[in-house]
Every structure is written in C-alpha cells, then in structure tokens.
Amino acid sequence: MQNDTTLIQDLKNKDERALALLYDKYSGAIYSVILKMIRDEGKAQNLLQDTFMTVWDKAESYDEAKGRFYTWVYRIAKNKTLNALRKTDPLIQTDDFSVHTNKADVISIEPHYLELNGAVTTLEDHHKEAIELVYFKGLTHREAHEAMNVPLGTFKSYIRQALKQLRDTYAKTLSLVLLILNAL
C-alpha cells in the first residue's frame, strides 16, 4: 500500500483513488469516534460520509507540518459531530406566535383556529388557564378545577365567562374582517 504522503498529495490533486484508499485506511477509526459521540448508527454513517466529503473538498488545506493526517480528519469529524449534536429541530413561529416543529403542522391549522387562539390570548389569566385546560389539553371540568385549585362551581363560572368573552371578541373580529373585505 502507498504511504500517506503520496496518497495525500494525490488527494490534493483530486485523485479519487487516493480518497478511496485513505477512506479505507481511516474510516473505521473515524466512524468509531463519531458513533461514540452521537450514539446513532444512521447519523454516524451520514457524518462519516460528510467528513470525507469535506476531506475531499478541503484537501489542499491539510498541512503535514501542523499534524498527522488522521488528526486532521479526526478534527473535521469531531466538529461535524458536535455541530450535529448542537443542532435542534428548527422551530417555526406563526402569526399567532405559536411555535411548531414542522411546516406541515402550520399548514394544517385552520384559519379560524388561529383567530380563536388569538382571542384566547386577550382573556384574563384565570379564564385563559381554564379554557386551555379544558379545550386545548383535554381535561374534564373536574380534573381542571383540581389543577387550578378552585371550587368546581367557580371553575365552571370561569368557563362560562371566558366563552362569552370569546364569542364577543370573535364576533367583533369577524365583523371587522368582513367590513375590511367589503371595503376592498
């Protein structure tokens, strides 16, 4: 087998065979490092491939005087793995300031829900909490009044008052939207 110096020089000259030979020589050790860090075989395989794509793209920046080739590849792999571990799912914020983890959730939401949710944010805190517990979290009135630590009758009163306010607010918003649309 050729020595690393010749292979690295060939790699810098964009020789695919040199990349393949260096991959064969170092990929097992690099994969092991990535796998220990990320603990997911699929992601580790993708990161290994990404590492060697970077090796191919940046081969000319490798300097033998600064360290061994393995150390250079190891640093690339480590940085890519750390970046992958830091990366979280992007959150998408909508007009009503709710946050979703994927665009499909945002698209599937009914416009009327967004208007209603916007109206809920205008409620007093205890009314908002009561509505959220029952209608958004799915608790029964008994479970929700215990969660809020108020008597059941008081809790039901909160719900009635909140629903009345929402009806009024939603009707005003809908009337305003229709008025604006008619003006156009």
Side-chain angles (χ1 to χ4, degrees):
M1 184 175 214
Q2 291 179 304
N3 68 26
D4 282 358
T5 307
T6 307
L7 285 175
I8 293 165
Q9 190 55 48
D10 291 345
L11 177 65
K12 288 181 177 183
N13 294 326
K14 298 298 183 192
D15 181 352
E16 292 177 12
R17 187 183 66 76
L19 177 65
L21 291 171
L22 288 166
Y23 179 88
D24 289 343
K25 184 172 183 177
Y26 293 107
S27 64
I30 297 297
Y31 178 75
S32 175
V33 169
I34 295 170
L35 187 59
K36 283 179 186 173
M37 290 176 70
I38 203 139
R39 297 187 181 115
D40 180 319
E41 287 184 22
K43 288 180 182 177
Q45 291 169 359
N46 289 338
L47 286 166
L48 179 67
Q49 180 180 358
D50 197 25
T51 297
F52 276 91
M53 290 302 295
T54 301
V55 167
W56 174 259
D57 292 335
K58 306 287 184 185
E60 66 281 348
S61 68
Y62 169 68
D63 183 1
E64 287 181 18
K66 292 182 179 179
R68 294 182 2 205
F69 182 76
Y70 172 81
T71 306
W72 183 69
V73 176
Y74 168 83
R75 284 188 189 133
I76 293 170
K78 183 179 176 186
N79 289 337
K80 287 191 175 295
T81 305
L82 288 173
N83 287 340
L85 289 169
R86 285 184 201 117
K87 183 180 175 186
T88 58
D89 289 335
L91 296 176
I92 302 157
Q93 188 170 20
T94 59
D95 292 339
D96 72 336
F97 299 110
S98 59
V99 178
H100 305 276
T101 55
N102 85 39
K103 289 184 181 181
D105 292 344
V106 177
I107 293 167
S108 68
I109 294 175
E110 294 287 327
H112 296 295
Y113 167 79
L114 295 177
E115 291 173 25
L116 180 61
N117 192 27
V120 169
T121 61
T122 65
L123 296 174
E124 295 177 40
D125 288 341
H126 60 279
H127 290 149
K128 187 187 322 179
E129 184 179 0
I131 291 293
E132 287 175 354
L133 288 172
V134 172
Y135 292 100
F136 295 109
K137 293 186 178 174
L139 272 61
T140 65
H141 284 202
R142 287 201 184 280
E143 294 168 335
H145 94 85
E146 290 172 2
M148 286 185 68
N149 199 26
V150 296
L152 182 59
T154 303
F155 179 80
K156 288 183 177 185
S157 170
Y158 288 170
I159 294 290
R160 273 192 307 278
Q161 292 168 2
L163 289 175
K164 183 182 180 315
Q165 284 180 314
L166 286 174
R167 254 191 316 271
D168 293 344
T169 304
Y170 190 67
K172 287 177 188 172
T173 304
L174 191 56
S175 298
L176 183 61
V177 168
L178 291 174
L179 183 64
I180 292 170
L181 288 174
N182 287 332
L184 297 175

